[in-house]
Amino acid sequence: MGIKWDFIIIHEAGHEWFGNNITASDIADMWIHESFTNYSEALYIDYYFGKKAGQEYIHGNRRAIQNKTPIQGQYHVNNEGSGDMYNKGGVLHNMIRTIIADDDKWRSILRGLNAKFYHQQVDYDDIVNFINQESGLNFNSIFEQYVKTTLIPVLCISETKDGKVQAKWKNTVENFEMPVYIGTADNNLKAINITNNDQTLNIHNLTKENIKIDTFNYYIDIQKN
């Protein structure tokens, strides 16, 4: 998909919004520039080739993620985060779009960022707080996980003695929670908010063997116990 358009023109044009219009106040938050601009490449593909094609592009970008250091650098010491700010950042925004599950609202959030912070300098908190406020959801632990650490959340699936399937997150920041689409068939998944504590998945006829999890749009690992 990446050879169907001119990367430099689309990517650098994206910086007219994230980088030139909205600018990080500290180079540690350069991820704000590059993650959204990387994601704008997928939006370009989305517009011309369809939503699934845009998501496939984002999914393919995972192959370049190294997870050696966080995508946010250290403040006040002229320290930029890792190069994962491009591809991992784009993956993060696709997950947020998936969680919000309302493309009109997601579009209004992206445009709202540019209206709210027009020709201003921003930081991590500005971006996260705005998305929380406009979405009505709490993305604090999700941004902390993917921006400030290199940890990949592990969704642990287990089965009790009476056959009930449970799920919880591990390998995460403290008090991590994130809804993920789970079901028994790819076309019948529903969003369930998972935390660091075991919880029973109330899905009809669900077993550890037939469980389906959206790993296409979620950058996570799965562990079955």
Side-chain angles (χ1 to χ4, degrees), residues 5-172:
W5 46 279
D6 190 303
F7 171 82
I8 291 297
I9 290 176
I10 300 306
H11 181 86
E12 301 307 333
H15 277 308
E16 293 300 321
W17 286 267
F18 294 95
N20 295 341
N21 188 15
I22 302 175
T23 302
S25 57
D26 190 303
I27 199 172
D29 280 325
M30 185 62 73
W31 68 273
I32 296 171
H33 296 211
E34 300 299 355
S35 67
F36 283 101
T37 304
N38 174 274
Y39 184 67
S40 74
E41 300 162 19
L43 292 181
Y44 177 86
I45 295 172
D46 188 312
Y47 181 84
Y48 283 101
F49 303 100
K51 182 175 180 178
K52 189 172 187 293
Q55 291 175 322
E56 287 174 347
Y57 177 77
I58 288 289
H59 185 83
N61 282 346
R62 293 185 194 180
R63 289 174 295 192
I65 299 175
Q66 298 185 30
N67 273 327
K68 292 181 179 178
T69 56
I71 67 175
Q72 184 186 56
Q74 293 179 302
Y75 283 120
H76 314 305
V77 290
N78 193 33
N79 179 248
E80 194 176 293
S82 79
D84 285 342
M85 69 177 76
Y86 293 83
N87 294 317
K88 187 178 180 181
V91 167
L92 168 61
H93 298 316
N94 182 61
M95 285 195 297
I96 293 171
R97 176 188 187 175
T98 301
I99 293 167
I100 291 174
D102 182 333
D103 283 351
D104 289 336
K105 179 178 285 187
W106 176 232
R107 186 181 301 110
S108 73
I109 289 172
L110 293 176
R111 291 175 174 170
L113 283 165
N114 281 276
K116 171 73 172 177
F117 302 114
Y118 179 73
H119 286 184
Q120 296 181 38
Q121 293 182 329
V122 299
D123 61 16
Y124 173 93
D125 289 331
D126 291 324
I127 299 300
V128 176
N129 290 339
F130 182 85
I131 294 176
N132 285 346
Q133 176 183 330
E134 296 302 312
S135 68
L137 302 171
N138 187 338
F139 287 99
N140 287 348
S141 65
I142 296 173
F143 271 95
E144 182 181 358
Q145 177 83 19
Y146 288 96
V147 174
K148 297 187 175 186
T149 83
T150 60
L151 302 174
I152 301 176
V154 177
L155 184 61
C156 298
I157 305 298
S158 60
E159 200 167 88
T160 62
K161 291 181 179 179
D162 57 356
K164 293 180 179 179
V165 179
Q166 295 184 319
K168 69 176 179 181
W169 293 114
K170 75 173 187 178
N171 199 42
T172 68

Side-chain angles (χ1 to χ4, degrees), residues 157-220:
I157 305 298
S158 60
E159 200 167 88
T160 62
K161 291 181 179 179
D162 57 356
K164 293 180 179 179
V165 179
Q166 295 184 319
K168 69 176 179 181
W169 293 114
K170 75 173 187 178
N171 199 42
T172 68
V173 297
E174 189 174 0
N175 298 320
F176 181 78
E177 59 179 299
M178 181 168 69
V180 63
Y181 282 83
I182 301 174
T184 57
D186 292 333
N187 61 350
N188 191 32
L189 305 182
K190 67 177 183 178
I192 301 176
N193 192 53
I194 307 297
T195 68
N196 293 135
N197 300 314
D198 273 317
Q199 63 191 81
T200 299
L201 302 177
N202 295 313
I203 298 175
H204 183 63
N205 289 331
L206 181 68
T207 68
K208 196 167 64 171
E209 284 69 37
N210 70 11
I211 190 169
K212 300 287 185 180
I213 301 162
D214 182 3
T215 55
F216 181 72
N217 289 304
Y218 285 86
Y219 183 45
I220 58 176

